[in-house]
Amino acid sequence: MIKATEKDTQQFYSRLTKILSKIHQAKSFADAYPLVEKAILSLFNAQRVTVYQRNRSNKDIVSRFKTGDDVKEIRVPITASSVAGYTALSKEPVIIRNVRDNAELEKIHPALRFNSSFEQNIEFKSRSMLVLPILHNDVLLGVLQIINRQDGKHFSAVDLKRAKQFAELLGQKFRYDFGCTEGPFEYLLEHKLIEEKVFRQLEKKADDRTPLTRLLREHARISATQLGQSLECFYQVPFIAYNPEKYFLHPLCEQIKKAYLKNSDIALLAEQNSESVIILIDDPNDTKRLMEIKNVVGQHDSQICVGLIDDIHQYLGVVSTGGQSEGANLSTLLDELDETADLDLDDTASDTEDVSEEDSTVVRLVNRVLLDAKRLRASDVHVEPGKGRTPTTVRMRIDGVCQEIIQIPASHAKAAVSRIKIMSRLDIAEKRLPQDGKFAVRLQGQPLEVRVATIPTVNGEGVVMRLLQSGEPVAFDQLNLSKRNQKEVQELLEHPHGILLVVGPTGSGKTTTLHALLAQLNTQEKKIWTAEDPVEITQPGLQQVQIQPKTGFTFAAALRSFLRADPDIILIGEMRDQETAHAAVEASLTGHLVLSTLHTNSAPETITRLLDLGIDPVSFSDALLGILAQRLVRTLCPSCRKPYRASDDEKAFLLRRYGPEAEKDFKLTEKTRLYKAEGCEECNHTGYRGRTGIHELLVSTPELREKIYHGANIGEIREQAMSDGMRSLLQDGIYKVLKGDIDFQQLRRVAAE
């Protein structure tokens, strides 16, 4: 074994330092290479050096910097069939004594061969090689290939150690040249698409069953496009989202067990009229998985791309839903239904199912509808029967708006409804009366409770499924409160007793807001009881109770029992009647902080509504801390929203509708920009993705309490609240327009109320 003397080592590091100094002084390695090429050859006592670089949009590594002009450019696929390609794939360095000795190459990898075609018409001949991957954070950025020692000897372990140090420093330079990030999600943090605190919270929640990318999409409203950009910046390979119109499973998948692909989180894709294989993987840094799948792909032309686990599984059609091991795309399932259309029975047999409810295709169809509803963030699924042989329409309420998703052939509509009724434990023979039920499933590792209502129509049974998104509360910072409202709410939560109400119509996000507030209060020092119907969001540390009105366990009964359990904080799902409202006021006056909801349209109206229930004005005014009224409006898709300069008419409308408070709250100039919807694949070409809250916070003040004492009307209460600093729902909507969260169309929906 050749050992380096201390003098040799010192000389090496001295020469290496000079080379690195020139490289780092240059803007890019391309500028530096002509200045250091001879020094690099001398450093390793080599005849030639080739530096390959990876191109993010290309499936090969390309010789960007090489000794000699006999071949302008060498492109090498990232496969085990070539020396540089094998090193790129395995990310392992190799020392080869004789590149023309196939036996030596086969010991490294059975498919490894030396391509001598590049040296056919030139005098130079490669003998020995030292080949190393150029990495940064384990991400492949290139390959360093050192060819033939000047003295004719083989490369040694000392040469390998020194070359590793040089390759590591090259990786740092390439990282800046390529714009690489330090981690898969650093791009999101750098561009302030998510707060670091929220990211760290989601990062802790992620596990093998619930990947971080899914949590980022569902809880932080990060789009697939934004995730893809972040992953590309780190892994330096193209990102491919779920796009079944462009990509489909490669025929090679028929030779591989789908269970293996699913467990490996790999899909082999192809494009129309292309035989090339796209290896879609969630972690292109996982060399072991890539080496295994490359063995399957063999000599096929291939490219490595990064994708989201959920998208990979969707391509494979093996997403787990409701206890079924396999799902399928809705379009595929509907094709299967069309193929079995000849099984239709006579329409006169109205009490007989056209197809057995246990038919596997129907089971998979219902499961797939639920999965797509969750993926699309739908709140409701409406199964609406058509007349006669007309297909049954399935619509989903997404971001508050109904959208038609699919049509189920009439031949299978009754079977699909029966399947839903069986899951909900309803009477499938009863078709003349409405029925209510519920069931729970696990979709992609997360629990989902579904409330079901069947309603007989003239065309058959209709079904409405309400998706209750069980899970943990959203962060308080994600409620999108204005600065004033956020500060005031935080101060209200510091009170040891009193009533804080969140009000609004059904589906306005009241429960979500209440649990976000409870998360702020949920500490080891506080005893918290909640009475809810239903319990959708769970939190460790809370004692949560499900109301059962049919058995007499109402909100009022729960509240009375809570008071005997020595709580600090009580959440009452809703003040539905005088008894509940009166008990809540009494509880707040006896040293408890009470949170609850009410179905009213505004904060001032809530006060008059409760007084109309017969609550004592003096007691209520003493107990009241504040009222937060809210609505949910559709937010502009962050991936495609388009800025434009506000017109004079639009600015005049904003100022007019905001009122006199506009002078101190904001300024509109010629540079004021608003945003409008455009539409992209991420938002299903609607221009909107997700919803946000519009808020109106009334805070109890001595002046307001005086008004309540004397039975003031809604107008007087609103006037006092506005003078105390309250901003109306419309004003908060205008604030969110100027922020770029919503557009004029959504604002007009609020303004019209």
Side-chain angles (χ1 to χ4, degrees):
M1 181 180 292
I2 300 174
K3 293 186 178 180
T5 65
E6 185 176 347
K7 182 178 180 181
D8 289 339
T9 302
Q10 289 177 349
Q11 289 179 347
F12 170 79
Y13 282 111
S14 175
R15 292 156 66 191
L16 179 62
T17 301
K18 291 179 181 178
I19 293 173
L20 294 177
S21 177
K22 289 183 179 180
I23 291 175
H24 287 299
Q25 286 174 8
K27 290 184 178 180
S28 66
F29 187 72
D31 295 334
Y33 187 73
L35 305 176
V36 298
E37 179 184 3
K38 291 183 179 179
I40 294 173
L41 289 170
S42 175
L43 185 68
F44 295 104
N45 192 25
Q47 291 181 354
R48 288 200 172 188
V49 169
T50 301
V51 180
Y52 295 88
Q53 278 190 338
R54 185 176 206 166
N55 187 329
R56 187 189 302 182
S57 61
N58 201 294
K59 54 195 171 187
D60 304 326
I61 54 173
V62 183
S63 59
R64 298 297 187 194
F65 317 101
K66 55 186 292 296
T67 307
D69 298 325
D70 34 66
V71 181
K72 290 185 178 180
E73 184 180 87
I74 301 175
R75 287 185 173 271
V76 177
I78 303 177
T79 66
S81 59
S82 68
V83 178
Y86 168 79
T87 301
L89 178 61
S90 66
K91 293 192 286 191
E92 292 290 337
V94 293
I95 299 178
I96 302 175
R97 298 168 65 89
N98 183 359
V99 294
R100 287 174 170 78
D101 184 348
N102 288 337
E104 182 183 358
L105 297 180
E106 287 178 2
K107 287 181 180 179
I108 299 173
H109 192 279
L112 189 58
R113 292 292 183 271
F114 173 67
N115 186 356
S116 60
S117 62
F118 295 108
E119 299 179 354
Q120 284 181 354
N121 301 317
I122 62 174
E123 294 182 4
F124 181 82
K125 302 298 177 184
S126 299
R127 297 187 309 274
S128 61
M129 285 188 185
L130 181 56
V131 192
L132 305 95
I134 300 173
L135 308 171
H136 180 75
N137 278 348
D138 204 34
V139 175
L140 178 73
L141 301 180
V143 170
L144 172 64
Q145 191 173 44
I146 305 171
I147 308 171
N148 295 355
R149 280 181 60 110
Q150 290 280 8
D151 54 14
K153 296 179 180 179
H154 303 305
F155 289 104
S156 66
V158 173
D159 295 324
L160 176 60
K161 180 180 179 181
R162 291 175 174 178
K164 281 183 177 179
Q165 293 173 315
F166 181 61
E168 182 179 340
L169 295 166
L170 277 185
Q172 295 178 12
K173 183 62 176 177
F174 281 12
R175 178 237 167 172
Y176 290 105
D177 289 358
F178 292 1
C180 301
T181 52
E182 291 293 321
F185 307 105
E186 185 183 338
Y187 174 92
L188 304 177
L189 297 169
E190 285 182 349
H191 289 75
K192 301 188 185 304
L193 298 175
I194 184 173
E195 294 182 7
E196 185 168 359
K197 177 183 176 183
V198 176
F199 176 78
R200 299 304 173 199
Q201 290 173 344
L202 295 178
E203 193 175 33
K204 290 180 181 178
K205 294 180 184 178
D207 54 32
D208 291 339
R209 300 193 63 171
T210 311
L212 180 55
T213 50
R214 185 187 304 159
L215 295 175
L216 289 169
R217 294 185 71 178
E218 294 181 351
H219 298 288
R221 294 169 56 196
I222 303 296
S223 69
T225 302
Q226 292 166 332
L227 280 171
Q229 182 68 38
S230 187
L231 295 174
E232 281 189 350
C233 285
F234 176 67
Y235 290 115
Q236 294 297 303
V237 297
F239 169 78
I240 291 182
Y242 181 67
N243 185 356
E245 295 181 2
K246 184 176 181 181
Y247 303 102
F248 55 91
L249 288 180
H250 195 279
L252 276 175
C253 288
E254 297 176 5
Q255 305 172 21
I256 312 171
K257 290 184 178 180
K258 279 193 176 180
Y260 167 78
L261 292 172
K262 180 189 176 184
N263 294 334
S264 301
D265 296 323
I266 294 176
L268 301 182
L269 306 180
E271 292 185 81
Q272 199 71 33
N273 302 321
S274 173
E275 295 183 0
S276 180
V277 183
I278 298 172
I279 300 173
L280 190 64
I281 185 170
D282 68 307
D283 181 6
N285 277 2
D286 194 325
T287 303
K288 181 181 178 181
R289 281 191 287 159
L290 283 176
M291 291 286 284
E292 288 177 353
I293 201 65
K294 280 283 189 175
N295 288 336
V296 176
V297 172
Q299 298 301 313
H300 285 81
D301 187 31
S302 61
Q303 179 178 17
I304 300 167
C305 296
V306 63
L308 307 180
I309 289 179
D310 291 342
D311 290 350
I312 292 171
H313 288 186
Q314 207 162 359
Y315 277 118
L316 296 173
V318 291
V319 182
S320 176
T321 62
Q324 298 294 319
S325 61
E326 290 192 356
N329 296 330
L330 282 174
S331 58
T332 304
L333 288 169
L334 291 177
D335 288 342
E336 292 180 20
L337 295 181
D338 290 339
E339 291 172 3
T340 59
D342 57 346
L343 297 177
D344 292 351
L345 299 179
D346 193 299
D347 287 343
T348 58
S350 58
D351 291 333
T352 304
E353 303 303 337
D354 291 336
V355 179
S356 168
E357 63 271 12
E358 296 302 325
D359 182 273
S360 62
T361 303
V362 174
V363 171
R364 292 164 62 203
L365 172 64
V366 173
N367 291 342
R368 191 66 210 185
V369 167
L370 291 170
L371 181 67
D372 276 26
K374 187 175 187 303
R375 178 176 60 84
L376 296 169
R377 308 177 312 280
S379 59
D380 304 273
V381 177
H382 302 263
V383 182
E384 302 167 342
K387 183 178 181 180
R389 305 306 296 170
T390 305
T392 289
T393 300
V394 177
R395 296 197 298 162
M396 297 182 186
R397 189 177 297 278
I398 302 169
D399 297 337
V401 178
C402 280
Q403 300 179 26
E404 182 176 322
I405 304 300
I406 60 165
Q407 290 189 337
I408 302 175
S411 58
H412 286 67
K414 292 180 181 178
V417 171
S418 290
R419 172 62 185 168
I420 296 171
K421 292 173 72 173
I422 288 172
M423 295 171 71
S424 311
R425 301 182 182 277
L426 301 179
D427 183 357
I428 62 172
E430 179 58 72
K431 303 177 187 295
R432 298 167 299 174
L433 297 174
Q435 297 186 69
D436 295 323
K438 64 180 180 179
F439 63 87
V441 294
R442 293 190 71 85
L443 297 180
Q444 298 174 331
Q446 294 185 334
L448 174 68
E449 184 177 347
V450 181
R451 294 295 177 93
V452 177
T454 65
I455 305 173
T457 73
V458 293
N459 296 324
E461 279 189 292
V463 178
V464 177
M465 293 186 286
R466 178 85 184 274
L467 276 63
L468 306 176
Q469 301 289 350
S470 59
E472 297 184 357
V474 301
F476 179 69
D477 294 339
Q478 290 181 291
L479 293 178
N480 200 17
L481 295 166
S482 66
K483 290 182 179 179
R484 179 260 176 186
N485 287 347
Q486 183 166 338
K487 177 176 176 293
E488 294 281 3
V489 169
Q490 286 177 324
E491 291 178 358
L492 293 178
L493 294 177
E494 294 174 2
H495 284 72
H497 57 82
I499 291 181
L500 177 58
L501 298 173
V502 178
V503 303
T506 300
S508 59
K510 298 186 294 296
T511 301
T512 299
T513 298
L514 278 176
H515 273 276
L517 302 183
L518 279 183
Q520 293 287 99
L521 297 166
N522 190 4
T523 62
Q524 291 185 343
E525 296 79 23
K526 301 288 178 60
K527 177 72 172 181
I528 304 176
W529 284 86
T530 78
E532 304 169 74
D533 185 22
V535 176
E536 296 184 50
I537 301 171
T538 58
Q539 295 189 52
L542 302 188
Q543 298 297 308
Q544 296 179 263
V545 173
Q546 170 71 53
I547 294 302
Q548 303 288 346
K550 292 181 180 179
T551 63
F553 190 49
T554 62
F555 283 117
L559 182 51
R560 287 194 298 270
S561 64
F562 287 174
L563 293 177
R564 295 191 292 271
D566 188 31
D568 297 299
I569 300 167
I570 298 171
L571 183 148
I572 298 298
E574 184 182 346
M575 288 188 180
R576 293 179 177 174
D577 49 47
Q578 180 184 9
E579 184 182 7
T580 306
H582 178 75
V585 171
E586 291 299 317
S588 67
L589 292 175
T590 54
H592 305 88
L593 180 60
V594 179
L595 283 69
S596 189
T597 73
L598 207 66
H599 287 87
T600 55
N601 292 322
S602 68
E605 179 187 329
T606 304
I607 295 175
T608 58
R609 175 75 62 85
L610 288 171
L611 293 180
D612 289 342
L613 284 177
I615 294 180
D616 177 44
V618 176
S619 298
F620 176 64
S621 61
D622 288 341
L624 181 65
L625 296 175
I627 303 171
L628 181 67
Q630 66 180 55
R631 300 285 189 281
L632 289 179
V633 293
R634 302 169 80 190
T635 52
L636 291 166
C637 175
S639 300
C640 64
R641 65 175 187 173
K642 186 175 182 180
Y644 68 95
R645 184 166 293 179
S647 67
D648 291 339
D649 289 343
E650 288 172 327
K651 287 187 283 188
F653 174 83
L654 292 174
L655 290 171
R656 183 173 66 254
R657 296 311 302 266
Y658 199 92
E661 293 85 4
E663 294 183 4
K664 58 181 178 180
D665 286 356
F666 60 84
K667 292 183 180 180
L668 299 178
T669 66
E670 293 183 358
K671 295 182 179 180
T672 297
R673 290 186 175 273
L674 304 178
Y675 291 82
K676 61 182 178 181
E678 279 290 297
C680 63
E681 292 183 1
E682 191 64 37
C683 59
N684 199 23
H685 300 285
T686 62
Y688 302 95
R689 187 173 187 273
R691 290 190 289 176
T692 191
I694 302 294
H695 305 96
E696 177 180 273
L697 179 62
L698 177 151
V699 177
S700 180
T701 63
E703 294 77 13
L704 185 65
R705 287 195 289 271
E706 187 69 24
K707 296 283 186 183
I708 298 174
Y709 289 159
H710 295 92
N713 58 36
I714 293 179
E716 293 171 330
I717 292 173
R718 174 172 292 278
E719 183 179 353
Q720 182 60 54
M722 295 293 289
S723 65
D724 292 335
M726 184 184 83
R727 293 296 177 261
S728 68
L729 289 166
L730 174 59
Q731 288 174 322
D732 197 52
I734 292 174
Y735 163 72
K736 279 157 175 124
V737 166
L738 295 174
K739 267 185 68 183
D741 292 341
I742 65 176
D743 61 3
F744 250 80
Q745 182 179 347
Q746 297 303 308
L747 176 64
R748 290 181 189 278
R749 290 182 61 186
V750 179
E753 294 181 348

